[in-house]
């Protein structure tokens, strides 16, 4: 007897197991499972067109027919649940005839315009017709519906639609966007955007992928290829830390389109398998590929001659860079050299970068874009738990009983991880608490939305902890094991009153009590945090506060529990693990530990400087003082990222003016690159091999889909060539060799790391734990309770769904979807200020003033405004001062206070 395998979800596992007979074989499965699912589990096939395991069966196509004893007519197996002792037959000749008829019926309304259809060669209706040997076609009833091209990225050809409903269902159930509907008009049923308007949705493209025919098409790839002309490469997305797998179709060294593994072809599976992800991607991954083939890409090295950057052959550029590095090292030593690398590079690039900087240039002044906030999370986790990484997998998120989302607009920053939270809500009865002043997408779906005052997340966590320890909600096991830690925290929170928490956050004490209890009593609880607290003043302390909350609530050590941070850049986790921060050598071994340093001295056969290294802002500060003579920037553009008050331009100009040397290695000539002495063209993720590490800690492969554009080279390759020219040969022939070296030095590190990190609280709680509590449990001096009358608005810079850093602003697909350089304000504030959408306002802060158009956005509360961080014009970012974390040196420049006035 076949064993039931439907046991992932607790709800389903709780259902009684019943027995049925399928084609004479006895099978058991949970009651309520569809006949279709049981048949497929037996390894049999059943034709189907409207079924997909990622959403509920719809039963529209009439193809998945089976015979059920006692029923006169064949039954649609996808919507029919099994009942005890049911007898089912799937292989009767009569069924085959009925299935064939159902397909023929679709063909009577489907135009045979296959030669000009995007789905030609990957159309389920074509495949089905072939399989059933349909050759005699009756006359086709042409619908004559004009194509609906109103959407920015998707076209709808309703002549081809077979009304299976898959697009509508995946949008409604998996995305929980519910943007599509059937609509009867002009005598036909159409799929249209809700309200029959131009579709403006999350543009994930899942509807496009599951459409079994060519009724939904991608505007960017329509009519530009035939499937057999394409080369397909499976690789990992370069945008966010979700680490989605992209299927990239290329032709003549151009990316033609990007698809996901989710298609109508991936329809077979148990719904529960989606706990690991549904295989889809987001709009950034799908429509953001044009930067790869951009005409603005650098194709040749540039060297500054007589004040101008001029194209120079590689061999000249390499020997020039090597010579200048050697000269500066000889004259000033490694302490005058620093390097920054973007966390969008592969692990292999980053490993080699830090090795090059440390042994060839003799410096530990290296940093990466993980410094902008993720480092706060890593350093806090490392300090407390001994493992600097997130603890939750996709499956943990999906199956959690309670998820606390704090400081993270997860749908915008990490849209595919957000789908797991949505699935927890929709399918597993999970409760979701969203802490956000704005009515975000997740806040709207959540069971609990705590719309606190902007910037009061810290007070909210402190309040939850106070309720936990003072009202007997501390996890019993934790309290028994670590009574002293509980007492110390109790003492620390005694100084904060619930009234002050209420005045800081604006939250009723009863609500605080309710969510704290919910969190504390949940069997499996996960905390998701993001830039809303990690990239804010004292972000490191915020991470430690969250660890306290998880610890006291019993949500650290138990399986299925933990804390995780949403990474906005694809490889922020990898950056820290590969050691491109001064604190760590590869494998997060402490740089300050002589034993760890000796491990790498022995492995690399060369000296590593023992002096501790500077972080990003300190490097720039020293550059501004003329102390840095050589700056090597790989994919980093501090001039384009940091606000004017950091004086990056002055710092870079000082490097050159003091006889120093700046090298920029990038895909594009950035603001920083324009000031460099040498610019080296790097190739994109699509032109190289390697790996990225996602927020779960999973190592995902990056595969080469294109030949390098122009004369660009992979970052690791440029590093080997410069080091060779300098006389420190780091001679790797490919990224795989580097990966093998990492694996040799750090066994298991590049393998499957789906195991959650081990939690070691003993060391943390017995080693000066109480010393920091005074700071941690103080309210911030400039918290929201102390609004400055001259600057009454909170200005937040942040990410939007259709962009990731500045890279996506080079992708025309995404710029078509979102190019709004507007200040988003609440309609309440707009009315008070007397401004309408599109009108301009002046935004003022202690740093200066900027004129900018406004957009009214009801998701923001009165007193809060938002500007998308991807756009430097108008320079709204310059209005925010840059603070530095006292412990981690993370720069904070995305949250400030401003005044807004209507223009003239
Ligand atoms: S692109 Fe995504 S969000 Fe938009 S309609 Fe299709 S499935 Fe829904
Ligand atoms: S557009 Fe495609 S997926 Fe949607 S109902 Fe029509 S055939 Fe099905
Ligand atoms: S941007 Fe993030 S969520 Fe979107 S496809 Fe890429 S990795 Fe996935
Ligand atoms: S797959 Fe069952 S009716 Fe379409």
């Amino acid at each position: 007897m076949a064993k039931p395998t439907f046991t992932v979800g607790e709800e389903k596992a709780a259902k009684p197991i019943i027995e049925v007979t399928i084609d004479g074989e006895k099978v058991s499965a949970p009651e309520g499972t569809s006949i279709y699912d049981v048949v497929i589990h037996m390894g049999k096939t059943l034709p189907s067109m409207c079924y997909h395991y990622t959403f509920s069966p719809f039963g529209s196509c009439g193809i998945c027919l089976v015979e059920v004893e006692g029923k006169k007519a064949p039954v649609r197996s996808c919507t029919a649940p099994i009942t005890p002792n049911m007898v089912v037959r799937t292989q009767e000749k009569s069924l085959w005839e009925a299935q064939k008829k159902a397909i023929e019926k679709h063909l009577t309304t489907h135009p045979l315009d296959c030669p000009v259809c995007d789905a030609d060669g990957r159309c389920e209706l074509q495949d089905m017709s072939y399989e059933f040997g349909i050759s005699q076609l009756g006359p086709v009833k042409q619908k004559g519906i004009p194509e609906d091209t109103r959407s920015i990225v998707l076209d709808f050809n309703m002549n081809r639609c077979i009304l299976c409903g898959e697009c509508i269902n995946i949008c409604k159930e998996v995305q929980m966007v519910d943007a599509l509907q059937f609509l009867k008009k002009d005598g036909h049923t159409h799929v249209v955007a809700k309200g029959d308007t131009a579709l403006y949705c999350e543009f994930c493209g899942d509807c496009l992928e599951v459409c079994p025919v060519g009724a939904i098409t991608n505007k960017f790839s329509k009519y530009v290829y035939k499937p057999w002309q394409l080369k397909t490469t499976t690789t990992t997305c370069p945008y966010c830390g979700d680490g989605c797998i992209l299927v990239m179709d290329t032709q003549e060294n151009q990316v033609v389109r990007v698809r996901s593994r989710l298609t109508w072809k991936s329809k077979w599976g148990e719904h529960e398998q989606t706990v690991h992800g549904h295989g889809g991607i987001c709009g950034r991954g799908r429509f953001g590929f044009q930067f790869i083939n951009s005409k603005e890409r650098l194709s040749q090295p540039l060297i500054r001659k007589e004040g101008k950057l001029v194209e120079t052959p590689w061999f000249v550029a390499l020997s020039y860079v090597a010579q200048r590095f050697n000269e500066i090292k000889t004259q000033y030593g490694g302490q005058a050299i620093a390097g920054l690398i973007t966390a969008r590079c592969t692990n292999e690039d980053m490993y080699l970068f830090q090795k090059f900087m440390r042994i060839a240039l003799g410096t530990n002044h290296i940093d990466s874009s993980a410094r902008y906030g993720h480092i706060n999370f890593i350093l806090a986790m490392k300090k407390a738990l001994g493992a600097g990484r997130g603890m939750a997998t996709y499956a943990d998120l999906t199956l959690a009983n309670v998820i606390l989302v704090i400081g993270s607009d997860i749908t915008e920053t990490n849209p595919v991880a957000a789908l797991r939270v949505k699935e927890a809500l929709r399918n597993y009865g999970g409760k979701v608490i969203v802490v956000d002043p704005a009515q975000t997408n997740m806040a709207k779906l959540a069971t609990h939305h705590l719309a606190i005052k902007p910037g009061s997340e810290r007070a909210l966590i402190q309040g939850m902890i106070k309720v936990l320890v003072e009202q007997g909600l501390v996890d019993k096991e934790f309290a028994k094991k670590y009574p002293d830690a509980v007492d110390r925290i109790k003492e620390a929170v005694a100084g904060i009153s619930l009234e002050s928490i209420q005045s800081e956050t604006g939250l009723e004490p009863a609500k605080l009590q309710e969510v704290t209890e919910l969190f504390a009593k949940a069997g499996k609880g996960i905390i998701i945090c993001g830039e809303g607290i990690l990239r804010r003043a004292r972000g490191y302390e915020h991470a430690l506060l969250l660890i306290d909350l998880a610890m006291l609530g019993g949500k650290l050590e138990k399986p299925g529990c933990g804390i995780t941070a949403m990474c906005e850049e694809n490889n922020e986790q990898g950056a820290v693990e590969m050691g491109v921060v001064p604190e760590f050598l590869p494998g997060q071994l402490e740089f300050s530990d002589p034993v760890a340093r000796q491990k790498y001295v022995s492995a690399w056969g060369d000296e590593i400087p023992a002096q501790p290294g500077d972080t990003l802002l300190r490097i720039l500060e020293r550059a501004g003082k003329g102390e840095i003579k050589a700056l090597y920037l790989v994919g980093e553009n501090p001039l384009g990222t940091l606000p004017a008050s950091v004086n990056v331009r002055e710092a870079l100009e000082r490097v050159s003016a003091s006889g120093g040397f700046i090298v920029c290695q990038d895909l594009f000539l950035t603001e920083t690159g324009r000031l460099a002495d040498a610019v080296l063209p790097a190739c994109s993720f699509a032109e190289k091999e390697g790996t990225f590490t996602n927020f779960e800690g999973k190592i995902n492969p990056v595969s080469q889909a294109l030949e390098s554009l122009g004369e660009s080279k992979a970052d690791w390759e440029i590093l080997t060539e410069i080091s060779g020219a300098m006389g420190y040969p780091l001679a790797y022939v490919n990224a795989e060799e580097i990966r093998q070296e990492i694996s040799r030095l750090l066994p298991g590190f590049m393998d499957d790391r789906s195991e959650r990190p081990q939690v070691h609280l003993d060391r943390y709680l017995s080693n000066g734990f109480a010393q920091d509590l005074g700071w941690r449990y103080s309210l911030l001096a400039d918290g929201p309770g102390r609004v400055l009358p001259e600057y009454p608005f909170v200005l937040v810079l942040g990410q939007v769904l259709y962009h990731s850093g500045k890279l996506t602003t080079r992708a025309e697909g995404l710029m078509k979807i979102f190019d709004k350089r507007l200040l988003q304000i609440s309609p309440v504030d707009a009315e008070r200020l007397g401004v309408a959408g599109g009108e301009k306002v002046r935004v003022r802060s202690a740093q200066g003033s900027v004129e900018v158009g406004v957009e009214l956005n009801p998701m923001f509360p009165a007193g809060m405004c938002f500007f998308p961080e991807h756009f430097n014009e108008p320079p709204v970012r310059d209005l925010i001062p840059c603070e530095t974390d006292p412990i981690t040196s993370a720069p904070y420049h995305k949250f400030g206070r401003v005044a807004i006035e209507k223009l003239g």
Side-chain angles (χ1 to χ4, degrees):
M1 186 189 298
K3 288 237 162 57
T5 54
F6 310 80
T7 50
V8 179
E10 282 172 10
E11 213 173 302
K12 202 159 201 174
K15 295 244 171 94
I17 303 295
I18 59 169
E19 199 175 270
V20 293
T21 306
I22 311 258
D23 295 331
E25 197 180 328
K26 289 210 182 308
V27 190
S28 55
E31 191 168 21
T33 309
S34 71
I35 301 174
Y36 183 92
D37 278 354
V38 178
V39 172
I40 296 301
H41 267 85
M42 293 171 73
K44 293 168 180 279
T45 50
L46 263 184
S48 59
M49 281 190 78
C50 65
Y51 174 88
H52 202 289
Y53 81 105
T54 56
F55 49 83
S56 314
F58 190 52
S60 63
C61 74
I63 293 173
C64 60
L65 301 171
V66 295
E67 271 185 17
V68 174
E69 224 166 74
K71 303 263 179 206
K72 281 196 196 124
V75 166
R76 295 180 182 210
S77 62
C78 66
T79 46
I82 53 165
T83 52
N85 304 316
M86 187 182 243
V87 178
V88 178
R89 280 180 287 274
T90 69
Q91 304 295 320
E92 308 306 294
K93 176 90 173 88
S94 59
L95 285 175
W96 192 85
E97 290 295 345
Q99 286 158 345
K100 186 175 176 189
K101 272 209 175 70
I103 296 160
E104 283 171 344
K105 195 165 154 243
H106 288 304
L107 284 167
T108 59
T109 56
H110 185 89
L112 295 179
D113 61 348
C114 307
V116 291
C117 177
D118 232 30
D120 185 21
R122 58 186 291 272
C123 165
E124 192 168 23
L125 194 56
Q126 272 184 1
D127 289 5
M128 288 281 193
S129 306
Y130 179 78
E131 218 149 275
F132 280 81
I134 299 169
S135 54
Q136 300 293 314
L137 291 175
V140 175
K141 283 181 238 143
Q142 298 290 352
K143 295 186 218 160
I145 303 171
E147 196 170 16
D148 179 354
T149 57
R150 290 174 291 177
S151 149
I152 313 164
V153 293
L154 299 173
D155 287 339
F156 290 77
N157 183 332
M158 286 300 108
N159 298 309
R160 296 178 186 147
C161 176
I162 60 163
L163 304 179
C164 68
E166 287 195 63
C167 53
I168 295 170
N169 292 327
I170 199 155
C171 187
K172 186 174 180 181
E173 293 194 13
V174 177
Q175 293 293 331
M176 290 178 88
V177 173
D178 202 9
L180 300 172
Q181 66 172 109
F182 281 131
L183 182 76
K184 195 111 183 158
K185 60 176 183 179
D186 309 328
H188 298 289
T189 303
H190 302 232
V191 172
V192 292
K194 285 255 163 106
D196 198 14
T197 56
L199 175 69
Y200 194 84
C201 57
E202 292 186 8
F203 294 125
C204 66
D206 276 4
C207 53
L208 162 79
E209 290 287 16
V210 295
C211 180
V213 292
I216 306 179
T217 46
N218 179 337
K219 261 197 171 63
F220 299 106
S221 56
K222 205 161 78 167
Y223 304 139
V224 297
Y225 67 92
K226 294 309 285 178
W228 55 88
Q229 297 169 328
L230 300 177
K231 183 185 124 196
T232 295
T233 309
T234 301
T235 188
T236 302
C237 179
Y239 287 127
C240 85
D242 289 359
C244 301
I245 302 302
L246 305 181
V247 180
M248 198 171 259
D249 288 331
T250 55
Q251 185 185 26
E252 292 170 9
N253 220 35
Q254 297 259 341
V255 183
V256 174
R257 67 177 173 191
V258 173
R259 296 182 284 121
S260 61
R261 287 176 302 168
L262 170 85
T263 73
W264 60 261
K265 290 187 181 195
S266 63
K267 66 170 62 175
W268 295 282
E270 295 173 33
H271 184 82
E272 281 79 356
Q273 287 166 1
T274 63
V275 299
H276 304 291
H278 79 307
I281 56 178
C282 80
R284 293 194 294 258
R286 186 180 304 282
F287 298 113
F289 59 85
Q290 299 87 350
F291 79 91
I292 298 167
N293 290 103
S294 165
K295 289 195 172 55
E296 289 168 25
R297 282 272 305 270
L298 289 165
S299 60
Q300 261 219 302
L302 306 171
I303 297 291
R304 189 169 297 282
K305 282 186 189 143
E306 293 166 9
K308 285 204 178 100
L309 286 169
V310 293
E311 291 194 345
T312 307
W314 264 111
F315 74 96
V316 178
L318 284 170
S319 74
Y320 173 63
V321 170
Q323 180 204 331
R324 293 293 285 128
F325 275 153
N326 269 337
E327 282 168 5
I328 288 168
K329 188 181 167 194
T330 309
Q331 193 175 350
Y332 302 101
Q335 289 306 300
I337 303 174
L340 303 173
I341 187 166
T342 171
R344 293 198 190 279
C345 280
T346 62
N347 287 319
E348 292 72 10
D349 290 333
M350 294 196 284
Y351 170 85
L352 198 55
F353 179 74
Q354 59 81 37
K355 181 173 175 180
F356 170 77
M357 294 303 292
R358 286 178 168 135
I359 67 170
L361 295 183
T363 182
N364 189 36
H365 302 310
I366 49 179
D367 211 348
S368 78
S369 44
R371 180 69 47 192
Y372 287 112
H374 192 58
I375 193 77
N376 283 334
F377 177 71
I378 301 230
L379 291 177
M381 293 294 276
K382 182 104 169 110
K383 177 183 168 88
L385 312 181
R389 57 181 266 217
M391 300 172 71
T393 61
Y394 277 109
D396 292 332
L397 294 181
T398 317
L399 299 173
N401 305 115
V402 169
I403 303 172
L404 173 66
V405 184
I406 183 160
S408 168
D409 190 352
I410 185 171
T411 311
E412 304 281 317
T413 59
N414 296 70
V416 167
L419 296 182
R420 297 300 93 228
V421 182
K422 293 181 185 179
E423 179 74 353
L425 268 166
R426 192 184 68 82
N427 208 36
Y428 293 96
K431 301 278 184 280
V432 175
I433 306 162
V434 171
V435 180
D436 204 306
Q439 186 83 15
T440 61
N441 166 276
M442 196 56 81
K444 284 186 202 141
L445 299 171
T447 50
H448 298 73
H449 175 205
L450 310 185
I452 55 169
K453 290 184 193 172
S456 65
E457 289 81 0
R458 175 191 178 90
L460 187 274
I461 310 165
Q462 290 168 336
M464 286 182 79
I465 291 171
K466 185 172 174 72
V467 172
L468 263 175
V469 295
E470 291 183 356
Q471 303 198 16
L473 291 168
V474 174
D475 178 68
K476 293 202 171 29
E477 273 176 49
F478 181 80
K480 199 167 153 207
K481 215 162 146 193
Y482 304 108
D484 192 49
V486 178
D487 288 345
R488 296 289 83 77
I489 294 177
K490 207 181 241 177
E491 281 163 26
V493 291
I496 307 176
S497 68
L498 284 178
E499 291 70 40
S500 57
I501 298 288
Q502 182 178 3
S503 118
E504 285 286 301
T505 60
L507 195 69
E508 293 287 329
K511 196 80 192 163
L512 184 68
Q513 173 84 30
E514 182 193 339
V515 295
T516 309
E517 266 185 52
L518 185 67
F519 178 75
K521 291 180 178 167
K524 283 185 277 183
I526 302 267
I527 299 175
I528 295 176
C529 59
E531 76 164 37
I533 58 170
L534 295 173
R535 293 190 182 193
R536 296 279 163 80
R538 314 262 283 270
Y540 172 71
E541 266 179 18
H542 295 165
L544 286 175
L545 277 166
L546 288 177
I547 292 168
D548 288 352
L549 176 64
M551 217 161 63
L552 293 164
K555 303 294 181 292
L556 267 191
E557 293 174 286
K558 295 179 188 146
C561 294
I563 309 183
T564 200
M566 289 293 121
C567 303
E568 289 175 49
E569 286 188 7
N570 53 328
N571 208 12
E572 292 178 54
Q573 185 63 32
V576 184
E577 294 185 348
M578 290 301 111
V580 289
V581 288
E583 294 93 334
F584 296 127
L585 288 157
Q588 291 191 357
L589 302 188
E590 304 279 346
F591 185 85
S592 55
D593 177 1
V595 179
R597 282 205 306 279
Q598 189 50 45
K599 170 185 166 105
Y600 285 99
V601 168
S602 311
W604 296 340
D606 216 327
E607 283 308 307
I608 298 175
Q611 293 98 325
D614 292 330
T615 55
L616 170 72
L617 286 194
R618 177 78 186 126
I619 288 171
L620 292 171
E621 193 187 317
R622 286 187 57 222
K625 290 182 183 160
E627 292 171 18
I628 294 292
K629 301 293 184 189
L631 198 50
Y632 188 9
L633 304 166
V634 178
E636 265 301 281
N637 176 18
L639 190 52
T641 307
L642 289 162
S645 58
V646 178
N647 298 323
V648 180
R649 178 176 293 279
E650 291 75 4
L652 298 176
E653 284 173 350
R654 185 72 206 274
V655 174
S656 301
S658 62
F661 178 63
I662 301 174
V663 186
C664 272
Q665 189 166 302
D666 213 306
L667 274 68
F668 297 96
L669 188 58
T670 62
E671 292 94 328
T672 308
R674 286 179 208 285
L675 299 180
D677 300 287
V679 178
L680 305 177
C683 60
S684 75
F685 81 107
E687 297 143 65
K688 64 184 173 188
E689 303 274 333
T691 53
F692 294 147
T693 306
N694 80 351
F695 79 86
E696 300 169 285
K698 203 164 151 205
I699 310 282
N700 288 317
V702 176
S703 305
Q704 185 172 358
L706 301 173
E707 293 303 316
S708 302
L709 257 75
E711 292 186 19
S712 64
K713 293 175 193 258
D715 291 302
W716 65 264
E717 201 179 347
I718 302 173
L719 283 160
T720 60
E721 292 182 2
I722 296 176
S723 65
M726 285 180 67
Y728 287 88
L730 298 171
Y732 301 91
V733 294
N734 53 33
E736 175 57 22
E737 265 194 13
I738 304 172
R739 200 180 82 85
Q740 282 173 12
E741 180 172 314
I742 303 168
S743 297
R744 252 195 329 275
L745 291 168
L746 302 165
F749 216 78
M750 302 298 277
D751 304 336
D752 174 32
R753 298 193 309 167
S754 45
E755 290 281 297
R756 56 192 262 115
Q758 294 293 314
V759 175
H760 304 290
L761 285 173
D762 291 353
R763 188 183 52 87
Y764 174 52
L765 296 177
S766 61
N767 197 10
F769 167 72
Q771 278 165 19
D772 305 331
L773 294 181
W775 275 104
R776 199 138 93 218
Y777 288 91
S778 63
L779 292 170
L780 278 185
D782 64 344
R786 285 161 289 278
V787 171
L788 306 173
E790 65 274 40
Y791 299 118
F793 287 88
V794 158
L795 167 63
V796 173
L797 299 186
Q799 190 179 341
V800 297
L801 174 60
Y802 310 106
H803 286 285
S804 176
K806 306 283 187 291
L807 194 56
T808 46
T809 62
R810 312 252 188 193
E812 104 199 28
L814 296 174
M815 289 301 278
K816 273 208 172 114
I817 297 174
F818 191 100
D819 185 14
K820 287 192 275 189
R821 298 147 201 247
L822 299 171
L823 186 76
Q824 300 183 23
I825 62 173
S826 93
V828 178
D829 285 332
E831 197 183 336
R832 208 151 39 83
L833 294 163
V835 286
E839 285 184 345
K840 279 198 160 179
V841 292
R842 178 175 292 111
V843 187
R844 238 179 346 97
S845 76
Q847 267 57 45
S849 75
V850 165
E851 290 178 14
V852 58
V854 297
E855 180 182 41
L856 274 43
N857 190 339
M859 91 178 233
F860 294 109
M864 178 178 178
C865 56
F866 173 91
F867 190 78
E869 64 184 9
H870 321 282
F871 304 112
N872 283 348
E873 285 303 326
V876 175
R877 68 178 175 145
D878 291 341
L879 297 177
I880 300 182
C882 187
E883 287 177 63
T884 312
D885 191 283
I887 310 290
T888 66
S889 306
Y892 305 128
H893 51 96
K894 293 194 173 191
F895 182 95
R897 293 177 194 281
V898 295
I900 303 178
E901 34 196 68
K902 187 180 174 179
L903 275 179

